[in-house]
Structure formats: structure tokens, C-alpha cells
Coordinates of all heavy atoms in Angstrom, one line a residue:
M238 N 46.4 -37.2 -47.1 CA 45.0 -37.7 -47.1 C 44.2 -36.8 -48.2 O 44.4 -35.7 -48.3 CB 44.4 -37.4 -45.7 CG 43.0 -38.1 -45.5 SD 42.4 -37.8 -43.9 CE 42.8 -39.4 -43.1
K239 N 43.4 -37.5 -49.0 CA 42.7 -36.9 -50.1 C 41.4 -36.4 -49.5 O 40.9 -36.8 -48.5 CB 42.5 -37.9 -51.2 CG 43.8 -38.4 -51.8 CD 43.5 -39.2 -53.1 CE 44.9 -39.5 -53.7 NZ 44.7 -40.0 -55.0
L240 N 40.8 -35.5 -50.2 CA 39.6 -34.8 -49.9 C 38.5 -35.8 -49.7 O 37.7 -35.7 -48.6 CB 39.1 -33.7 -50.9 CG 37.9 -33.0 -50.6 CD1 38.0 -32.2 -49.3 CD2 37.5 -32.1 -51.8
K241 N 38.3 -36.8 -50.5 CA 37.3 -37.8 -50.4 C 37.4 -38.5 -49.0 O 36.4 -38.8 -48.3 CB 37.3 -38.8 -51.5 CG 36.2 -39.7 -51.6 CD 34.9 -39.0 -51.8 CE 33.7 -40.0 -52.0 NZ 32.5 -39.4 -52.0
Q242 N 38.6 -38.9 -48.6 CA 38.9 -39.5 -47.3 C 38.5 -38.7 -46.2 O 37.9 -39.1 -45.2 CB 40.3 -40.0 -47.2 CG 40.7 -41.0 -48.2 CD 42.2 -41.3 -48.2 OE1 43.0 -40.3 -48.3 NE2 42.7 -42.5 -47.9
I243 N 38.9 -37.4 -46.3 CA 38.6 -36.4 -45.2 C 37.0 -36.3 -45.1 O 36.5 -36.3 -44.0 CB 39.2 -35.0 -45.5 CG1 40.7 -35.1 -45.4 CG2 38.7 -34.0 -44.6 CD1 41.4 -33.9 -46.0
E244 N 36.4 -36.2 -46.2 CA 34.9 -36.1 -46.2 C 34.2 -37.3 -45.5 O 33.3 -37.2 -44.7 CB 34.3 -36.0 -47.6 CG 34.5 -34.7 -48.2 CD 34.1 -34.6 -49.7 OE1 33.6 -35.7 -50.2 OE2 34.2 -33.5 -50.3
E245 N 34.8 -38.5 -45.8 CA 34.2 -39.7 -45.2 C 34.5 -39.7 -43.7 O 33.6 -40.1 -42.9 CB 34.8 -40.9 -45.9 CG 34.4 -41.2 -47.3 CD 35.1 -42.3 -48.0 OE1 35.9 -43.0 -47.4 OE2 34.9 -42.4 -49.2
E246 N 35.6 -39.3 -43.3 CA 35.9 -39.3 -41.9 C 35.0 -38.2 -41.1 O 34.5 -38.5 -40.0 CB 37.4 -38.9 -41.6 CG 38.4 -39.9 -42.0 CD 38.3 -41.2 -41.2 OE1 38.1 -41.1 -39.9 OE2 38.4 -42.3 -41.7
I247 N 34.8 -37.1 -41.8 CA 34.0 -36.1 -41.1 C 32.6 -36.5 -41.0 O 31.9 -36.2 -39.9 CB 34.1 -34.8 -42.0 CG1 35.4 -34.1 -41.9 CG2 33.0 -33.8 -41.6 CD1 35.7 -33.0 -42.9
L248 N 32.0 -37.3 -41.9 CA 30.7 -37.7 -41.8 C 30.5 -38.7 -40.6 O 29.3 -39.0 -40.2 CB 30.2 -38.3 -43.1 CG 30.1 -37.3 -44.3 CD1 29.7 -38.0 -45.6 CD2 29.1 -36.2 -43.9
H249 N 31.6 -39.2 -40.1 CA 31.5 -40.2 -39.0 C 31.5 -39.4 -37.6 O 31.3 -40.0 -36.6 CB 32.6 -41.2 -39.0 CG 32.3 -42.2 -40.1 ND1 32.9 -42.1 -41.3 CD2 31.6 -43.4 -40.1 CE1 32.5 -43.1 -42.1 NE2 31.8 -43.9 -41.3
L250 N 31.7 -38.1 -37.7 CA 31.7 -37.3 -36.5 C 30.3 -37.1 -36.0 O 29.4 -37.2 -36.7 CB 32.4 -35.9 -36.7 CG 33.9 -35.9 -37.1 CD1 34.3 -34.5 -37.5 CD2 34.7 -36.4 -36.0
S251 N 30.2 -36.7 -34.7 CA 28.9 -36.4 -34.2 C 28.3 -35.1 -34.8 O 29.1 -34.4 -35.4 CB 28.9 -36.3 -32.6 OG 29.6 -35.1 -32.3
E252 N 27.1 -34.9 -34.6 CA 26.5 -33.6 -35.2 C 27.2 -32.4 -34.6 O 27.5 -31.4 -35.2 CB 25.0 -33.6 -34.9 CG 24.3 -32.4 -35.5 CD 22.8 -32.5 -35.3 OE1 22.2 -33.6 -35.0 OE2 22.2 -31.4 -35.4
E253 N 27.4 -32.5 -33.2 CA 28.0 -31.3 -32.5 C 29.5 -31.1 -33.1 O 29.9 -30.0 -33.4 CB 28.1 -31.6 -31.0 CG 28.7 -30.5 -30.3 CD 28.7 -30.7 -28.8 OE1 28.2 -31.7 -28.3 OE2 29.3 -29.9 -28.1
E254 N 30.2 -32.2 -33.3 CA 31.6 -32.1 -33.8 C 31.5 -31.5 -35.2 O 32.4 -30.7 -35.6 CB 32.3 -33.5 -33.8 CG 32.6 -33.9 -32.4 CD 33.0 -35.3 -32.4 OE1 32.6 -36.2 -33.1 OE2 34.0 -35.6 -31.5
R255 N 30.6 -32.0 -36.1 CA 30.5 -31.4 -37.4 C 30.2 -30.0 -37.4 O 30.7 -29.2 -38.3 CB 29.5 -32.3 -38.2 CG 30.0 -33.7 -38.6 CD 29.1 -34.4 -39.6 NE 27.7 -34.2 -39.5 CZ 26.9 -35.0 -38.8 NH1 27.4 -36.0 -38.1 NH2 25.6 -34.8 -38.8
A256 N 29.3 -29.6 -36.5 CA 28.9 -28.1 -36.4 C 30.1 -27.3 -36.0 O 30.3 -26.2 -36.6 CB 27.7 -28.0 -35.5
K257 N 30.9 -27.7 -35.1 CA 32.0 -27.0 -34.6 C 33.1 -26.9 -35.8 O 33.7 -25.9 -36.1 CB 32.7 -27.7 -33.4 CG 31.9 -27.5 -32.2 CD 32.6 -28.1 -30.9 CE 31.8 -27.9 -29.7 NZ 32.4 -28.5 -28.5
L258 N 33.2 -28.0 -36.5 CA 34.2 -28.0 -37.6 C 33.7 -27.1 -38.7 O 34.5 -26.3 -39.3 CB 34.3 -29.5 -38.2 CG 35.2 -29.6 -39.4 CD1 36.6 -29.1 -39.1 CD2 35.3 -31.0 -39.8
A259 N 32.4 -27.1 -39.0 CA 31.8 -26.2 -40.0 C 32.1 -24.7 -39.6 O 32.4 -24.0 -40.5 CB 30.3 -26.4 -40.2
Q260 N 31.9 -24.5 -38.4 CA 32.2 -23.1 -37.9 C 33.6 -22.7 -38.1 O 34.0 -21.7 -38.7 CB 31.8 -22.9 -36.4 CG 32.1 -21.5 -35.9 CD 32.0 -21.4 -34.4 OE1 32.2 -22.3 -33.7 NE2 31.7 -20.2 -33.9
K261 N 34.6 -23.6 -37.8 CA 35.9 -23.3 -38.0 C 36.3 -23.1 -39.4 O 37.1 -22.3 -39.8 CB 36.8 -24.4 -37.4 CG 36.9 -24.4 -35.9 CD 37.9 -25.5 -35.4 CE 37.9 -25.4 -33.9 NZ 38.9 -26.4 -33.3
L262 N 35.7 -24.0 -40.3 CA 36.0 -23.8 -41.7 C 35.4 -22.5 -42.3 O 36.1 -21.9 -43.0 CB 35.3 -25.0 -42.5 CG 36.0 -26.4 -42.2 CD1 35.2 -27.5 -42.9 CD2 37.5 -26.4 -42.8
L263 N 34.2 -22.2 -41.9 CA 33.7 -20.9 -42.3 C 34.5 -19.7 -41.8 O 34.8 -18.8 -42.6 CB 32.2 -20.8 -41.8 CG 31.2 -21.6 -42.5 CD1 29.9 -21.5 -41.8 CD2 31.1 -21.2 -44.0
L264 N 34.9 -19.7 -40.6 CA 35.8 -18.7 -40.1 C 37.2 -18.6 -40.7 O 37.8 -17.6 -40.7 CB 35.9 -18.8 -38.5 CG 34.6 -18.5 -37.8 CD1 34.8 -18.8 -36.3 CD2 34.1 -17.1 -38.0
S265 N 37.6 -19.8 -41.3 CA 38.9 -19.8 -41.9 C 38.9 -19.2 -43.3 O 40.0 -18.9 -43.9 CB 39.4 -21.2 -42.0 OG 38.7 -22.0 -43.0
L266 N 37.7 -19.0 -43.8 CA 37.6 -18.3 -45.1 C 38.0 -16.9 -45.0 O 38.1 -16.3 -43.9 CB 36.3 -18.5 -45.7 CG 35.8 -19.9 -45.9 CD1 34.3 -19.9 -46.4 CD2 36.6 -20.6 -47.0
E267 N 38.3 -16.2 -46.1 CA 38.8 -14.8 -46.1 C 37.9 -14.0 -45.2 O 36.7 -13.8 -45.4 CB 38.8 -14.3 -47.5 CG 39.4 -12.9 -47.6 CD 39.5 -12.4 -49.0 OE1 39.8 -13.2 -49.9 OE2 39.3 -11.3 -49.2
A268 N 38.5 -13.4 -44.1 CA 37.7 -12.6 -43.2 C 37.8 -11.1 -43.7 O 38.8 -10.7 -44.2 CB 38.3 -12.7 -41.8
P269 N 36.8 -10.3 -43.4 CA 36.8 -8.9 -43.8 C 37.9 -8.1 -43.0 O 38.1 -8.5 -41.8 CB 35.4 -8.4 -43.5 CG 34.9 -9.4 -42.5 CD 35.5 -10.7 -42.7
S270 N 38.4 -7.1 -43.6 CA 39.4 -6.2 -42.9 C 38.6 -5.4 -41.9 O 37.4 -5.2 -41.9 CB 40.1 -5.3 -43.9 OG 39.2 -4.4 -44.4
E271 N 39.4 -4.7 -41.0 CA 38.8 -3.8 -40.0 C 38.1 -2.7 -40.8 O 37.0 -2.3 -40.4 CB 39.8 -3.2 -39.1 CG 40.4 -4.3 -38.1 CD 39.4 -4.8 -37.2 OE1 38.6 -3.9 -36.6 OE2 39.4 -6.0 -36.8
D272 N 38.6 -2.2 -41.9 CA 38.0 -1.1 -42.6 C 36.7 -1.6 -43.2 O 35.7 -0.9 -43.2 CB 38.9 -0.6 -43.8 CG 40.0 0.2 -43.2 OD1 40.0 0.7 -42.0 OD2 41.0 0.4 -43.9
E273 N 36.6 -2.8 -43.7 CA 35.4 -3.4 -44.4 C 34.3 -3.6 -43.3 O 33.2 -3.3 -43.5 CB 35.7 -4.8 -45.0 CG 36.5 -4.6 -46.3 CD 37.0 -6.0 -46.8 OE1 37.4 -6.8 -46.0 OE2 36.9 -6.2 -48.1
I274 N 34.7 -4.0 -42.1 CA 33.8 -4.2 -41.0 C 33.2 -2.8 -40.6 O 32.0 -2.7 -40.4 CB 34.5 -4.9 -39.8 CG1 34.8 -6.3 -40.1 CG2 33.6 -4.8 -38.6 CD1 35.6 -7.1 -39.2
A275 N 34.1 -1.8 -40.5 CA 33.6 -0.5 -40.1 C 32.7 0.1 -41.2 O 31.6 0.7 -40.8 CB 34.8 0.5 -39.9
E276 N 33.0 -0.2 -42.4 CA 32.1 0.3 -43.5 C 30.8 -0.4 -43.5 O 29.7 0.2 -43.7 CB 32.8 0.1 -44.9 CG 32.0 0.6 -46.1 CD 32.8 0.4 -47.4 OE1 34.0 0.5 -47.4 OE2 32.1 0.2 -48.4
D277 N 30.8 -1.7 -43.2 CA 29.5 -2.5 -43.1 C 28.7 -2.0 -41.9 O 27.4 -1.9 -42.1 CB 29.8 -4.0 -42.9 CG 30.4 -4.7 -44.1 OD1 30.3 -4.1 -45.2 OD2 30.8 -5.8 -43.9
W278 N 29.3 -1.7 -40.8 CA 28.5 -1.1 -39.7 C 28.0 0.2 -40.0 O 26.8 0.5 -39.6 CB 29.4 -1.0 -38.4 CG 29.4 -2.3 -37.6 CD1 30.5 -3.1 -37.4 CD2 28.3 -2.9 -37.0 NE1 30.1 -4.2 -36.6 CE2 28.8 -4.1 -36.4 CE3 26.9 -2.6 -36.9 CZ2 28.0 -4.9 -35.7 CZ3 26.2 -3.5 -36.1 CH2 26.7 -4.6 -35.5
L279 N 28.7 1.1 -40.7 CA 28.2 2.4 -41.1 C 27.0 2.2 -42.0 O 26.0 2.9 -41.8 CB 29.2 3.2 -41.8 CG 28.9 4.6 -42.3 CD1 28.3 5.4 -41.1 CD2 30.0 5.3 -43.0
T280 N 27.1 1.4 -43.0 CA 26.0 1.1 -43.9 C 24.8 0.6 -43.2 O 23.6 1.0 -43.4 CB 26.5 0.1 -45.0 OG1 27.6 0.6 -45.7 CG2 25.3 -0.3 -45.9
E281 N 25.0 -0.3 -42.2 CA 23.9 -0.9 -41.4 C 23.2 0.3 -40.6 O 22.0 0.3 -40.5 CB 24.4 -2.0 -40.5 CG 23.3 -2.6 -39.7 CD 22.2 -3.4 -40.4 OE1 22.4 -3.6 -41.6 OE2 21.2 -3.8 -39.7
A282 N 24.0 1.1 -40.0 CA 23.5 2.2 -39.1 C 22.7 3.2 -40.0 O 21.6 3.6 -39.6 CB 24.7 2.9 -38.4
Q283 N 23.2 3.4 -41.2 CA 22.5 4.4 -42.1 C 21.1 3.7 -42.5 O 20.1 4.4 -42.6 CB 23.3 4.7 -43.3 CG 24.5 5.6 -42.9 CD 25.5 5.7 -44.1 OE1 25.6 4.9 -45.0 NE2 26.3 6.8 -44.0
R284 N 21.1 2.5 -42.8 CA 19.9 1.7 -43.2 C 18.9 1.8 -42.0 O 17.7 2.1 -42.3 CB 20.2 0.3 -43.6 CG 19.0 -0.5 -44.0 CD 19.2 -2.0 -44.2 NE 19.6 -2.6 -42.9 CZ 18.6 -3.0 -41.9 NH1 17.4 -2.7 -42.1 NH2 19.0 -3.5 -40.8
R285 N 19.3 1.5 -40.8 CA 18.5 1.6 -39.7 C 17.9 2.9 -39.5 O 16.7 3.1 -39.1 CB 19.2 1.0 -38.4 CG 19.5 -0.5 -38.5 CD 20.2 -0.9 -37.3 NE 20.6 -2.3 -37.4 CZ 21.1 -3.1 -36.4 NH1 21.2 -2.5 -35.2 NH2 21.3 -4.3 -36.6
A286 N 18.8 4.0 -39.6 CA 18.3 5.3 -39.4 C 17.2 5.7 -40.4 O 16.2 6.3 -40.1 CB 19.5 6.3 -39.5
R287 N 17.4 5.3 -41.7 CA 16.4 5.5 -42.7 C 15.1 4.9 -42.3 O 14.0 5.5 -42.5 CB 16.9 5.1 -44.1 CG 17.8 6.0 -44.8 CD 18.1 5.6 -46.2 NE 18.5 4.2 -46.4 CZ 19.8 3.8 -46.4 NH1 20.7 4.6 -46.0 NH2 20.0 2.5 -46.5
E288 N 15.2 3.6 -41.9 CA 13.9 2.9 -41.5 C 13.2 3.6 -40.4 O 12.0 3.7 -40.4 CB 14.3 1.4 -41.2 CG 14.6 0.6 -42.4 CD 15.0 -0.8 -42.0 OE1 15.2 -1.2 -40.8 OE2 15.0 -1.7 -42.9
L289 N 14.0 4.1 -39.4 CA 13.4 4.8 -38.3 C 12.7 6.1 -38.7 O 11.6 6.4 -38.4 CB 14.4 5.1 -37.2 CG 14.8 4.0 -36.2 CD1 16.0 4.4 -35.4 CD2 13.6 3.7 -35.3
D290 N 13.5 6.9 -39.6 CA 12.9 8.1 -40.1 C 11.6 7.9 -41.0 O 10.7 8.8 -40.9 CB 14.0 8.8 -41.0 CG 15.2 9.3 -40.2 OD1 15.0 9.5 -39.0 OD2 16.2 9.6 -40.8
K291 N 11.6 6.8 -41.7 CA 10.4 6.6 -42.5 C 9.3 5.9 -41.7 O 8.2 5.8 -42.3 CB 10.8 5.7 -43.7 CG 11.7 6.3 -44.7 CD 12.1 5.3 -45.8 CE 13.0 6.0 -46.8 NZ 13.4 5.0 -47.9
G292 N 9.5 5.5 -40.5 CA 8.5 4.9 -39.8 C 8.3 3.4 -40.1 O 7.3 2.8 -39.6
V293 N 9.2 2.8 -40.8 CA 9.2 1.4 -41.2 C 9.3 0.5 -39.9 O 8.7 -0.5 -39.8 CB 10.3 1.1 -42.2 CG1 10.3 -0.4 -42.5 CG2 10.0 1.9 -43.5
I294 N 10.2 1.0 -39.0 CA 10.4 0.3 -37.8 C 10.2 1.2 -36.6 O 10.3 2.5 -36.8 CB 11.8 -0.3 -37.7 CG1 12.9 0.7 -37.8 CG2 11.9 -1.5 -38.7 CD1 14.2 0.2 -37.5
Q295 N 9.9 0.7 -35.5 CA 9.7 1.5 -34.3 C 10.9 1.4 -33.4 O 11.4 0.2 -33.2 CB 8.4 1.2 -33.6 CG 7.2 1.4 -34.4 CD 7.0 2.8 -34.8 OE1 7.2 3.7 -34.0 NE2 6.8 3.1 -36.1
P296 N 11.4 2.4 -32.7 CA 12.5 2.2 -31.8 C 12.1 1.5 -30.6 O 10.9 1.5 -30.2 CB 12.9 3.7 -31.4 CG 11.7 4.5 -31.7 CD 10.9 3.8 -32.8
I297 N 13.0 0.8 -30.0 CA 12.8 0.0 -28.8 C 13.8 0.6 -27.8 O 15.0 0.8 -28.0 CB 13.1 -1.5 -29.0 CG1 12.2 -2.0 -30.1 CG2 13.0 -2.3 -27.7 CD1 12.5 -3.5 -30.5
S298 N 13.3 0.9 -26.5 CA 14.1 1.4 -25.5 C 15.2 0.4 -25.1 O 15.0 -0.8 -25.2 CB 13.3 1.8 -24.3 OG 12.8 0.7 -23.7
A299 N 16.2 0.9 -24.5 CA 17.3 0.0 -24.0 C 16.7 -0.9 -22.9 O 17.1 -2.1 -22.8 CB 18.5 0.9 -23.5
D300 N 15.8 -0.3 -22.1 CA 15.2 -1.2 -21.0 C 14.5 -2.3 -21.6 O 14.6 -3.4 -21.1 CB 14.3 -0.3 -20.2 CG 15.1 0.6 -19.3 OD1 16.2 0.4 -19.0 OD2 14.4 1.6 -18.8
E301 N 13.7 -2.1 -22.7 CA 13.0 -3.2 -23.3 C 13.9 -4.2 -23.9 O 13.7 -5.5 -23.8 CB 12.0 -2.6 -24.4 CG 11.2 -3.6 -25.1 CD 10.2 -4.4 -24.2 OE1 9.9 -4.0 -23.1 OE2 9.7 -5.3 -24.7
V302 N 15.0 -3.8 -24.6 CA 15.9 -4.7 -25.2 C 16.6 -5.6 -24.1 O 16.7 -6.8 -24.2 CB 17.0 -4.0 -26.0 CG1 18.1 -4.9 -26.4 CG2 16.4 -3.3 -27.2
R303 N 17.0 -4.9 -23.0 CA 17.5 -5.6 -21.8 C 16.5 -6.6 -21.3 O 17.0 -7.8 -20.9 CB 17.9 -4.6 -20.8 CG 19.1 -4.9 -19.9 CD 19.6 -3.8 -19.0 NE 20.2 -2.7 -19.7 CZ 19.7 -1.5 -19.8 NH1 18.6 -1.2 -19.2 NH2 20.3 -0.5 -20.5
R304 N 15.3 -6.2 -21.1 CA 14.3 -7.2 -20.6 C 14.1 -8.4 -21.5 O 14.1 -9.5 -21.0 CB 12.9 -6.5 -20.5 CG 11.8 -7.3 -19.8 CD 10.5 -6.6 -19.9 NE 10.0 -6.6 -21.2 CZ 9.6 -7.6 -22.0 NH1 9.6 -8.8 -21.5 NH2 9.1 -7.5 -23.2
K305 N 14.1 -8.2 -22.8 CA 13.9 -9.3 -23.7 C 15.2 -10.2 -23.7 O 15.1 -11.4 -23.8 CB 13.7 -8.8 -25.1 CG 12.3 -8.2 -25.3 CD 12.1 -7.7 -26.8 CE 10.7 -7.2 -27.0 NZ 10.5 -6.8 -28.4
A306 N 16.3 -9.6 -23.6 CA 17.6 -10.4 -23.6 C 17.7 -11.2 -22.4 O 18.0 -12.4 -22.4 CB 18.8 -9.4 -23.7
R307 N 17.3 -10.7 -21.3 CA 17.3 -11.4 -20.0 C 16.3 -12.6 -20.0 O 16.6 -13.7 -19.6 CB 17.0 -10.5 -18.8 CG 18.2 -9.6 -18.4 CD 17.9 -8.8 -17.2 NE 19.1 -8.0 -16.9 CZ 19.0 -6.7 -16.6 NH1 17.9 -6.1 -16.4 NH2 20.1 -6.0 -16.3
A308 N 15.1 -12.3 -20.7 CA 14.1 -13.4 -20.8 C 14.7 -14.5 -21.7 O 14.5 -15.7 -21.3 CB 12.8 -12.8 -21.3
L309 N 15.3 -14.1 -22.7 CA 16.0 -15.2 -23.6 C 17.0 -16.0 -22.8 O 17.1 -17.2 -23.0 CB 16.5 -14.5 -24.8 CG 15.5 -14.1 -25.9 CD1 16.2 -13.3 -27.0 CD2 14.8 -15.2 -26.5
L310 N 17.8 -15.3 -22.1 CA 18.9 -15.9 -21.3 C 18.3 -16.9 -20.3 O 18.8 -18.0 -20.1 CB 19.8 -14.9 -20.7 CG 20.7 -14.2 -21.7 CD1 21.5 -13.1 -21.0 CD2 21.7 -15.2 -22.3
R311 N 17.2 -16.4 -19.6 CA 16.6 -17.3 -18.6 C 16.0 -18.5 -19.2 O 16.2 -19.6 -18.7 CB 15.4 -16.5 -17.9 CG 15.9 -15.7 -16.7 CD 14.7 -15.2 -15.8 NE 13.7 -14.5 -16.6 CZ 13.8 -13.2 -16.8 NH1 14.9 -12.5 -16.4 NH2 12.9 -12.5 -17.5
R312 N 15.4 -18.4 -20.4 CA 14.8 -19.6 -21.0 C 15.9 -20.5 -21.4 O 15.8 -21.7 -21.3 CB 14.1 -19.1 -22.3 CG 12.6 -18.8 -22.0 CD 11.8 -18.8 -23.3 NE 12.4 -17.9 -24.3 CZ 11.8 -16.8 -24.8 NH1 10.6 -16.5 -24.4 NH2 12.4 -16.1 -25.7
A313 N 17.1 -20.0 -21.9 CA 18.2 -20.9 -22.3 C 18.8 -21.5 -21.1 O 19.2 -22.7 -21.1 CB 19.2 -20.1 -23.1
T314 N 18.9 -20.8 -20.0 CA 19.6 -21.2 -18.7 C 18.7 -22.3 -18.0 O 19.2 -23.3 -17.5 CB 19.9 -20.1 -17.8 OG1 20.7 -19.1 -18.5 CG2 20.6 -20.5 -16.6
Y315 N 17.4 -22.0 -18.0 CA 16.5 -22.9 -17.1 C 15.8 -23.9 -18.0 O 14.9 -24.6 -17.4 CB 15.5 -22.0 -16.4 CG 16.2 -21.1 -15.4 CD1 16.1 -19.7 -15.6 CD2 16.9 -21.6 -14.3 CE1 16.8 -18.9 -14.7 CE2 17.6 -20.7 -13.5 CZ 17.5 -19.4 -13.6 OH 18.1 -18.6 -12.8
S316 N 16.2 -24.1 -19.2 CA 15.5 -25.1 -20.0 C 15.8 -26.5 -19.4 O 16.9 -26.8 -19.1 CB 16.1 -25.0 -21.5 OG 15.5 -26.1 -22.2
T317 N 14.7 -27.2 -19.4 CA 14.9 -28.6 -18.9 C 15.3 -29.6 -19.9 O 15.8 -30.7 -19.7 CB 13.5 -29.2 -18.3 OG1 12.5 -29.1 -19.3 CG2 13.1 -28.3 -17.1
Q318 N 15.2 -29.2 -21.2 CA 15.6 -30.0 -22.3 C 17.1 -29.7 -22.6 O 17.5 -28.6 -22.7 CB 14.8 -29.7 -23.5 CG 13.3 -29.9 -23.5 CD 12.9 -31.3 -23.9 OE1 13.7 -31.9 -24.6 NE2 11.8 -31.7 -23.4
P319 N 17.9 -30.8 -22.8 CA 19.3 -30.5 -23.1 C 19.3 -29.9 -24.5 O 18.6 -30.3 -25.4 CB 19.9 -31.9 -23.1 CG 18.8 -32.9 -23.1 CD 17.6 -32.2 -22.6
Q320 N 20.1 -28.8 -24.6 CA 20.2 -28.1 -25.9 C 21.5 -28.6 -26.6 O 22.5 -28.5 -26.1 CB 20.3 -26.6 -25.7 CG 19.1 -26.1 -24.9 CD 17.9 -26.1 -25.8 OE1 18.0 -25.7 -26.9 NE2 16.8 -26.4 -25.2
K321 N 21.3 -29.0 -27.9 CA 22.4 -29.3 -28.7 C 22.7 -28.1 -29.5 O 21.8 -27.5 -30.0 CB 22.3 -30.6 -29.5 CG 21.2 -30.6 -30.5 CD 21.1 -31.9 -31.2 CE 20.0 -31.9 -32.2 NZ 19.8 -33.1 -32.9
P322 N 24.0 -27.8 -29.8 CA 24.3 -26.6 -30.5 C 23.9 -26.7 -32.0 O 24.1 -27.8 -32.6 CB 25.8 -26.5 -30.4 CG 26.3 -27.8 -30.0 CD 25.2 -28.5 -29.3
S323 N 23.3 -25.7 -32.5 CA 22.9 -25.7 -33.9 C 24.0 -24.9 -34.7 O 24.7 -24.1 -34.0 CB 21.6 -25.1 -34.2 OG 21.6 -23.7 -33.9
I324 N 24.1 -25.1 -36.0 CA 25.1 -24.4 -36.7 C 24.7 -22.9 -36.6 O 25.6 -22.0 -36.6 CB 25.1 -24.9 -38.2 CG1 26.3 -24.2 -38.9 CG2 23.8 -24.6 -38.9 CD1 27.6 -24.6 -38.5
L325 N 23.5 -22.5 -36.6 CA 23.1 -21.1 -36.4 C 23.6 -20.6 -35.1 O 24.2 -19.5 -35.1 CB 21.5 -21.0 -36.5 CG 21.0 -19.6 -36.3 CD1 21.6 -18.6 -37.4 CD2 19.5 -19.6 -36.3
N326 N 23.4 -21.3 -34.0 CA 23.9 -20.8 -32.7 C 25.4 -20.7 -32.7 O 26.0 -19.7 -32.2 CB 23.5 -21.7 -31.6 CG 22.0 -21.6 -31.3 OD1 21.4 -20.6 -31.5 ND2 21.5 -22.7 -30.7
L327 N 26.1 -21.6 -33.3 CA 27.6 -21.5 -33.4 C 28.0 -20.3 -34.2 O 29.0 -19.6 -33.9 CB 28.1 -22.9 -34.0 CG 28.0 -24.1 -33.1 CD1 28.4 -25.3 -33.8 CD2 28.9 -23.9 -31.8
L328 N 27.3 -20.1 -35.3 CA 27.7 -18.9 -36.1 C 27.4 -17.6 -35.4 O 28.1 -16.7 -35.5 CB 27.0 -19.0 -37.5 CG 27.4 -20.1 -38.4 CD1 26.6 -20.2 -39.6 CD2 28.9 -19.9 -38.8
L329 N 26.3 -17.6 -34.7 CA 25.9 -16.4 -34.0 C 26.9 -16.0 -32.9 O 27.0 -14.9 -32.5 CB 24.5 -16.5 -33.5 CG 23.4 -16.3 -34.5 CD1 22.0 -16.6 -33.8 CD2 23.4 -15.0 -35.2
T330 N 27.5 -17.1 -32.3 CA 28.5 -16.9 -31.3 C 29.9 -16.9 -31.8 O 30.8 -16.8 -30.9 CB 28.3 -17.9 -30.2 OG1 28.5 -19.2 -30.8 CG2 26.9 -17.9 -29.5
S331 N 30.1 -16.8 -33.0 CA 31.4 -16.7 -33.6 C 32.1 -15.4 -33.2 O 31.5 -14.4 -32.8 CB 31.4 -16.9 -35.1 OG 30.9 -15.7 -35.7
S332 N 33.4 -15.3 -33.4 CA 34.1 -14.2 -33.0 C 34.0 -13.1 -34.0 O 34.5 -12.0 -33.8 CB 35.6 -14.6 -32.8 OG 36.2 -15.1 -34.0
R333 N 33.5 -13.3 -35.2 CA 33.4 -12.3 -36.2 C 32.4 -11.1 -35.7 O 31.4 -11.4 -35.3 CB 32.9 -12.8 -37.5 CG 32.8 -11.8 -38.5 CD 32.5 -12.4 -39.9 NE 32.4 -11.2 -40.8 CZ 31.4 -11.1 -41.7 NH1 30.4 -11.9 -41.7 NH2 31.4 -10.0 -42.5
K334 N 32.9 -9.9 -35.9 CA 32.1 -8.8 -35.5 C 31.7 -8.1 -36.8 O 32.5 -7.8 -37.7 CB 32.9 -7.8 -34.7 CG 33.5 -8.4 -33.4 CD 32.4 -8.7 -32.4 CE 33.0 -9.1 -31.1 NZ 32.7 -10.5 -30.7
G335 N 30.4 -7.8 -36.9 CA 29.9 -7.1 -38.1 C 28.5 -7.2 -38.2 O 27.8 -8.0 -37.4
P336 N 27.8 -6.5 -39.1 CA 26.4 -6.5 -39.2 C 25.8 -7.9 -39.4 O 24.7 -8.2 -38.9 CB 26.1 -5.6 -40.5 CG 27.3 -4.8 -40.6 CD 28.4 -5.6 -40.1
G337 N 26.5 -8.8 -40.1 CA 25.9 -10.2 -40.3 C 25.9 -10.9 -39.0 O 25.2 -12.0 -39.0
S338 N 26.5 -10.5 -38.0 CA 26.5 -11.3 -36.7 C 25.6 -10.7 -35.7 O 25.6 -11.2 -34.5 CB 28.0 -11.3 -36.1 OG 28.4 -10.1 -35.8
V339 N 24.7 -9.8 -36.1 CA 23.9 -9.2 -35.1 C 22.6 -10.0 -35.0 O 22.0 -10.4 -36.0 CB 23.5 -7.7 -35.5 CG1 22.4 -7.1 -34.7 CG2 24.7 -6.9 -35.5
L340 N 22.2 -10.3 -33.8 CA 20.9 -11.0 -33.6 C 19.9 -10.0 -33.1 O 20.1 -9.3 -32.1 CB 21.1 -12.1 -32.5 CG 19.8 -12.8 -32.0 CD1 19.2 -13.6 -33.2 CD2 20.1 -13.7 -30.9
R341 N 18.9 -9.8 -33.9 CA 17.8 -8.9 -33.6 C 16.8 -9.5 -32.7 O 16.4 -10.7 -32.9 CB 17.1 -8.4 -34.9 CG 18.1 -7.5 -35.7 CD 17.3 -6.8 -36.7 NE 18.2 -6.1 -37.5 CZ 18.1 -5.9 -38.8 NH1 17.1 -6.3 -39.4 NH2 19.0 -5.3 -39.5
I342 N 16.5 -8.8 -31.6 CA 15.6 -9.4 -30.6 C 14.2 -8.7 -30.8 O 14.1 -7.6 -30.9 CB 16.1 -9.1 -29.2 CG1 17.4 -9.8 -29.0 CG2 15.1 -9.5 -28.1 CD1 18.1 -9.4 -27.7

């Protein structure tokens, strides 16, 4: 099957199916090594420490983070509107671990 045929077939999929396929394709691209991930996390931790030291950002207690996370989960769980997955949600819930996958609350 040629690329053009594949593209035409993909465009006939539902939005949810295309989002899932997009996630799989993105994850299939070259993934960072464990060392690269560790280095990225160290860089991110150092950046955050500098921002805290300079007063650019204010620390948030674990209790406050937990409260906000629970509130977000309650809204998602008790929403009366059916939620369709967005590409952003699919990417945020991907299995990749690293600074790029952190959701700040």
C-alpha cells in the first residue's frame, strides 16, 4: 500500500481513532534513552530550583497540589458532558516519562 492510499484511509477514521493513531505514530519515533531522560529531569529540576531561588515562582505545598489534582479528577469524573479524547490528552497520558510529559497544575 502506498503512502497516499494510507493517508486517504486514515482520513476516513473517526476523530478518536485518528488521535489514537497519531499518538502511536508519535511514540514510534525515536524515543530518548534512559540517560537522556535522567538528564532532562535534572535540567528541569535545576531550572525549577533557580526559579524558586529567584522568587519567579512560589512553592506549592503537597496538600495544595493534592487538593487541585482531586478537584480536576472530580470534574473529569462527574462531568455530564461526554468527553472525547483530544490529542493533547492522549499525549499527556502517554507512557513516555520526562519533563515534556509533566502537567503543571
